[in-house]
Amino acid sequence: MDEKTKRLDTDERTALILQTAETLFEAHGVEQVSMHQIAQSAGVGQGTVYRRYANKGDLCMALMHRQFHKLQQHTAMILAQPVSFRQQLKDIVKAHIHFLESHVAFIETIHDTAMCAEKKQLFYESQPYQFLHGVLCTLLNKSVAAKQARPIQTDFTAHMMIASINPKVYLYLRKKKQYSEREIVDSFAQSFIDPLYYK
Amino acid sequence: MDEKTKRLDTDERTALILQTAETLFEAHGVEQVSMHQIAQSAGVGQGTVYRRYANKGDLCMALMHRQFHKLQQHTAMILAQPVSFRQQLKDIVKAHIHFLESHVAFIETIHDTAMCAEKKQLFYESQPYQFLHGVLCTLLNKSVAAKQARPIQTDFTAHMMIASINPKVYLYLRKKKQYSEREIVDSFAQSFIDPLYYK
DNA sequence: AATCATAACGGACAGCTGTCCGCATGTCAA
DNA sequence: TTGACATGCGGACAGCTGTCCGTTATGATT
């Protein structure tokens, strides 16, 4: 079979779906747009959309792919800076909170679909989660090994840290409680990072 | 109108619905039972169920009412103990984690329906959340005032603490990562309570 | 007894997700 | 050219949530 023509067709279709979704999301808000609507607008069947993306969260994930990649590159850059582990930890948390701030709608949808429903917590298996958890763990481990931080269960601690900065509570603090992004970043460092370190 | 007879009828109906739901939940698991099914089994219309409980989470909340009450009484008891604030904090967290362990299925459903969907974060307005948050805040405030703990944003810290012990991450740690309830309680105290305190 | 007002009921309905299957289209082999 | 076969499309469909409205029942009024 001629890979070229076939591939091009399906790839074009995929691009069309992504494009359509992005436009609709922008116009009406992620929450308000249904998968049916996306298929309709793109002029394809629902099956065609679902065959590519298992659900709206999946689709959002695909749309965010570039951004996640950049975030991870930025994280790697922070890890290469010649500053203390503690500072790296703070910088990474800050970067991730800023990322959350910038893309809440998408992240909320990803979070919802991967968490709620009986999707069996596959959120925790996702690459971005694993990546962040790995990075936090490593930093905590190094800190403990260097006797800069108290001895703690680093794996557990990293999970808890990520859990505490989730889109739901973040939106609540921002919108209902009127916290600023800055306050959240600083308070987090103050309550959950600094206390782990000696001195 | 004669309040008595009318009231009895509707109360009996309510009791019937709750009873039916409880039975079905026990038999097939909360997740697997639909509101339609509950109505069907109770021999009433869907509207009748929804008029009483806005959704499944609401219904679970009603079924858990007694338990929540007991949990809060227990919390009050802990607060009356002649031990340090730090110890009270640990005991309360322990009690709440045990509560979560004992009723995960229900709490997960409550969490899902009040968090996901565009239910506008009404979870944070619920009485159990407000209660726990208030208690944690008070304890942290007292600790800081007594110079036993570092100066921190107590309101923020309490929200983060609750966010970190949510049913999703809890189930993940218990089931996938094989943590024991005990380990979770101890690690939490070690990473997020002890470090806040001097000495 | 007849009429009326009101509250609560039931289930039809709309809208969504996710699945499934019959069908079209294009490729390869003979 | 033709038949076999795979790929992937479309949309019908099942199942769920939550809403809405016509109907019914019950007590109040005359």
Side-chain angles (χ1 to χ4, degrees), chain B residues 75-88:
Chain B
T75 303
M77 205 204 66
I78 291 171
L79 290 174
Q81 298 293 313
V83 299
S84 68
F85 298 139
R86 189 208 294 220
Q87 190 56 47
Q88 290 185 335

Side-chain angles (χ1 to χ4, degrees), chain A residues 82-131:
Chain A
V83 299
S84 68
F85 298 139
R86 190 209 293 220
Q87 191 55 47
Q88 290 185 336
L89 202 49
K90 287 185 188 179
D91 289 344
I92 285 168
V93 166
K94 181 176 184 172
H96 276 77
I97 288 179
H98 184 67
F99 187 78
L100 179 53
E101 172 78 25
S102 309
H103 310 285
V104 222
F106 280 59
I107 296 176
E108 196 183 5
T109 300
I110 292 169
H111 198 264
D112 279 7
T113 54
M115 281 291 219
C116 298
E118 78 294 357
K119 291 284 169 281
K120 288 301 164 205
Q121 272 78 44
L122 71 116
F123 178 72
Y124 299 104
E125 319 285 357
S126 72
Q127 194 272 336
Y129 187 91
Q130 295 281 346
F131 177 84

Side-chain angles (χ1 to χ4, degrees), chain A residues 1 34-35 46 50 54-55 119:
Chain A
M1 132 166 73
S34 74
M35 292 295 265
Q46 270 187 89
Y50 275 103
N55 51 55
K119 291 284 169 281

Side-chain angles (χ1 to χ4, degrees), chain B residues 1-176:
Chain B
M1 133 167 75
D2 183 6
E3 284 282 334
K4 271 297 161 44
T5 40
K6 199 60 169 290
R7 257 303 164 85
L8 208 65
D9 269 3
T10 68
D11 281 4
E12 272 170 4
R13 240 190 179 84
T14 300
L16 174 63
I17 288 169
L18 285 176
Q19 172 63 46
T20 307
E22 190 158 30
T23 307
L24 287 175
F25 287 163
E26 198 144 330
H28 310 111
V30 181
E31 196 71 47
Q32 297 306 312
V33 180
S34 75
M35 291 295 264
H36 181 83
Q37 225 172 113
I38 294 168
Q40 201 90 353
S41 296
V44 302
Q46 269 188 90
T48 303
V49 175
Y50 274 103
R51 206 166 304 111
R52 286 166 170 75
Y53 308 104
N55 49 55
K56 210 158 70 169
D58 221 46
L59 209 167
C60 287
M61 199 67 167
L63 284 172
M64 296 278 297
H65 191 266
R66 265 192 93 69
Q67 275 86 333
F68 271 112
H69 186 68
K70 269 165 54 181
L71 175 64
Q72 294 184 7
Q73 280 189 321
H74 183 215
T75 303
M77 205 204 66
I78 291 171
L79 290 174
Q81 298 293 313
V83 299
S84 68
F85 298 139
R86 189 208 294 220
Q87 190 56 47
Q88 290 185 335
L89 201 49
K90 286 185 188 178
D91 289 344
I92 286 169
V93 166
K94 180 176 183 170
H96 276 76
I97 288 179
H98 183 68
F99 187 76
L100 177 53
E101 171 78 25
S102 309
H103 310 285
V104 223
F106 282 60
I107 296 176
E108 195 183 4
T109 299
I110 292 169
H111 198 264
D112 279 5
T113 54
M115 280 289 218
C116 298
E118 77 293 2
K119 289 285 170 278
K120 288 300 163 207
Q121 270 77 41
L122 72 114
F123 178 72
Y124 299 104
E125 320 285 356
S126 71
Q127 193 271 336
Y129 187 91
Q130 295 280 346
F131 177 85
L132 178 56
H133 181 264
V135 168
L136 295 183
C137 251
T138 306
L139 272 178
L140 289 171
N141 280 331
K142 284 187 190 167
S143 302
V144 172
K147 308 269 189 199
Q148 291 169 17
R150 302 158 160 263
I152 50 169
Q153 292 281 350
T154 56
D155 178 82
F156 173 86
T157 307
H159 283 302
M160 291 293 106
M161 282 182 171
I162 303 177
S164 65
I165 321 168
N166 68 65
K168 299 301 177 180
V169 77
Y170 187 76
L171 279 173
Y172 174 68
L173 292 178
R174 290 284 282 117
K175 300 292 153 66
K176 292 271 167 65

Side-chain angles (χ1 to χ4, degrees), chain A residues 36 39 47 52 56-57 61 81-82 88 95 109 154 156 176 181:
Chain A
H36 182 81
R52 286 165 171 74
K56 209 158 68 169
M61 199 66 168
Q81 298 294 313
Q88 290 185 336
T109 300
T154 56
F156 173 85
K176 292 274 166 64
E181 180 183 340

